[in-house]
Amino acid sequence: MIMNNNLYISDSESELALRLTIGGKARNLFRLKELGMNVPSWVVIPQETLVSLVPEETRSKSCAEVVRFIEQMELSETFIKNVLAHFPSTEYFAVRSSALDEDGSDFSFAGQFESELFVTKQNIAEKIKKVWISAFSDRVFQYRNTNNLQQVFGLAVIIQEMIPAEVAGVAFGINPVSGNRNEQLISAVFGLGEGLVSGELDADNFHVHGTEITRNLAVK
């Protein structure tokens, strides 16, 4: 059972986060906050919460049967109310995956799990379930098999204040194209970054090598 009896961890409970399975993405949010970065408010529902909500006999069944169980499962109004209490003035939310081996040093799971943007208070429960369900898709199963990764049950879910960004992007500590460890790559697009992640938009790319920055701007 989750220690705070609310089945989630707030962004101020870093000590509790160390004792539960919150995934790479959520751990990085805690790291950024510790560094003093301006991180939008969030809570994380650890992987243990989903495990506690799905009976053991169901967890041992096929992915399709687990998905059906989650689809029919109702999250309590008290649970959702307690989560929303951490966001008294927030109108929209991002509901994001945070798997154990997601965004790690060897594997990213890019595009494998669901992320829901501009989620309202009224449909946040359904979006949480949708992210949970994405952990049991065929593509995730095949990704783990292809990369010889252990099959794990479920994932953690981040609920975060939605920021209507004018520009968004991805920063790589190592150039992922050349493999140059001494060069960083920043790719950015107008808007929320969905077009960048999906590959629908050409990005502005900034190659950072020490104090030198090379810019390759996309035609817009």
Side-chain angles (χ1 to χ4, degrees):
M1 182 59 65
I2 307 308
M3 298 299 293
N4 65 1
N5 297 319
N6 288 323
L7 306 180
Y8 66 87
I9 304 167
S10 73
D11 56 9
S12 62
E13 296 178 292
S14 57
E15 290 298 320
L16 179 58
L18 292 173
R19 304 200 297 272
L20 294 166
T21 309
I22 63 170
K25 195 176 291 179
R27 293 211 181 280
N28 286 335
L29 289 177
F30 278 105
R31 291 190 184 103
L32 288 172
K33 186 175 181 179
E34 289 170 1
L35 291 170
M37 305 294 287
N38 184 16
V39 184
S41 299
W42 83 92
V43 302
V44 55
I45 305 171
Q47 184 177 342
E48 287 84 353
T49 295
L50 180 60
V51 172
S52 71
L53 293 174
V54 180
E56 184 176 356
E57 60 270 21
T58 302
R59 298 200 302 269
S60 62
K61 294 180 179 179
S62 68
C63 288
E65 290 175 289
V66 173
V67 167
R68 281 195 290 273
F69 182 89
I70 296 174
E71 286 175 337
Q72 297 170 7
M73 184 170 63
E74 290 191 15
L75 297 179
S76 73
E77 292 183 9
T78 300
F79 169 68
I80 297 300
K81 181 179 179 180
N82 289 340
V83 167
L84 293 177
H86 288 272
F87 306 91
S89 59
T90 300
E91 184 176 3
Y92 295 106
F93 303 86
V95 180
R96 312 164 65 199
S97 66
S98 185
L100 178 63
D101 35 18
E102 185 181 13
D103 291 351
S105 58
D106 298 315
F107 304 98
S108 70
F109 283 82
Q112 301 296 312
F113 303 115
E114 290 291 336
S115 286
E116 300 292 323
L117 305 180
F118 286 104
V119 176
T120 65
K121 295 178 180 180
Q122 290 72 30
N123 64 2
I124 198 166
E126 287 304 312
K127 299 303 183 182
I128 291 170
K129 289 165 55 176
K130 189 171 182 179
V131 176
W132 274 336
I133 286 169
S134 70
F136 302 96
S137 68
D138 289 337
R139 65 184 181 185
V140 171
F141 183 85
Q142 293 301 329
Y143 186 90
R144 290 189 182 280
N145 274 352
T146 300
N147 292 286
N148 296 315
L149 296 173
Q150 180 183 358
Q151 298 292 337
V152 297
F153 187 88
L155 42 61
V157 177
I158 298 167
I159 301 168
Q160 191 168 23
E161 178 187 357
M162 185 74 218
I163 302 298
E166 295 181 2
V167 177
V170 178
F172 299 91
I174 299 171
N175 189 322
V177 178
S178 66
N180 187 344
R181 292 179 173 272
N182 297 314
E183 183 177 73
Q184 293 74 49
L185 173 64
I186 302 170
S187 299
V189 297
F190 287 127
L192 298 175
E194 286 181 288
L196 173 63
V197 175
S198 67
E200 294 180 3
L201 297 179
D202 292 328
D204 292 339
N205 291 313
F206 303 86
H207 297 263
V208 182
H209 194 101
T211 59
E212 181 182 348
I213 301 176
T214 303
R215 297 170 173 82
N216 294 308
L217 304 182
V219 176
K220 301 175 183 64

